[in-house]
Amino acid sequence: MRILYIYCHPLADSFHAAIRGEALAALTRAGHEVDLLDLYAENFDPVLSADGRRHYHDTTRNRAGLESHVARLQACDAIVFQFPTWCFGLPAMLKGWFDRVLMPGVSIDLSEPGSVKTLLGNIKKIAGISTYGRPRWMALYMGDPSRIMVTRYMKRLTGGTARTQYHALYHMNVATNAQRRAFISRVGEAMVRF
């Protein structure tokens, strides 16, 4: 499979970098072709500008400056999102990618507003890998928006056909080294099976 791996963390020496290393190695061992999209390393601009918003619905203009992101999204068979959950949601950098790239003509067809069509049928599998500073019960109390964006919203954009999985380390701020290592191992095992 061709996998678009969207990675969102600003620190090269973070726990997330260790997770990413294991996940990428596991996907490669399983024979997948992986396209790593590191939003910070590639200096992605998450800001939807006034001009970008003005032309958001104009499918002849809305991809300007985002052509490579759109092409990578449309070329993949599966997508993996890896990110920390901050303030019970996606980091601003990743939320900006959703806002700017998942636009009309790319993820949805709004030519008949009363009957919106989804356009990402090329994506057959979706995975999310995230860490949380708080316990799971608190994320659930808040509605766990990060999980919903990956497992429901993205699935909806595939026409509802993609299989989803979500791997989360909750309460990371008090996790032991053994718990962190176990999480990395679980992610690696899941990516081998992905």
Side-chain angles (χ1 to χ4, degrees), residues 31-141:
H32 300 297
E33 177 187 330
V34 182
D35 175 9
L36 174 61
L37 171 52
D38 183 331
L39 294 174
Y40 281 95
E42 295 189 22
N43 293 314
F44 178 74
D45 181 1
V47 176
L48 180 60
S49 68
D51 188 61
R53 182 63 186 117
R54 186 168 285 110
H55 302 294
Y56 184 77
H57 292 278
D58 182 351
T59 59
T60 66
R61 299 178 68 178
N62 64 0
R63 297 181 191 195
L66 297 167
E67 294 88 353
S68 69
H69 288 269
V70 171
R72 292 162 85 174
L73 179 64
Q74 292 176 334
C76 73
D77 304 307
I79 192 165
V80 176
F81 296 96
Q82 186 193 331
F83 56 93
T85 291
W86 289 336
C87 298
F88 294 103
L90 300 176
M93 180 72 83
L94 182 56
K95 180 60 168 69
W97 186 90
F98 273 80
D99 292 345
R100 294 193 64 212
V101 178
L102 301 178
M103 66 186 105
V106 175
S107 65
I108 53 174
D109 177 354
L110 291 175
S111 57
E112 295 179 36
S115 179
V116 175
K117 295 173 188 68
T118 57
L119 300 176
L120 294 177
N122 56 298
I123 299 174
K124 307 301 181 202
K125 292 184 178 180
I126 303 165
I129 304 167
S130 190
T131 57
Y132 294 69
R134 306 305 298 154
R136 184 162 190 216
W137 72 264
M138 194 172 288
L140 291 172
Y141 175 77

Side-chain angles (χ1 to χ4, degrees), residues 136-155:
R136 184 162 190 216
W137 72 264
M138 194 172 288
L140 291 172
Y141 175 77
M142 298 302 290
D144 208 347
S146 297
R147 181 184 291 263
I148 288 170
M149 286 295 287
V150 172
T151 63
R152 295 186 194 172
Y153 181 68
M154 277 305 299
K155 181 175 182 164

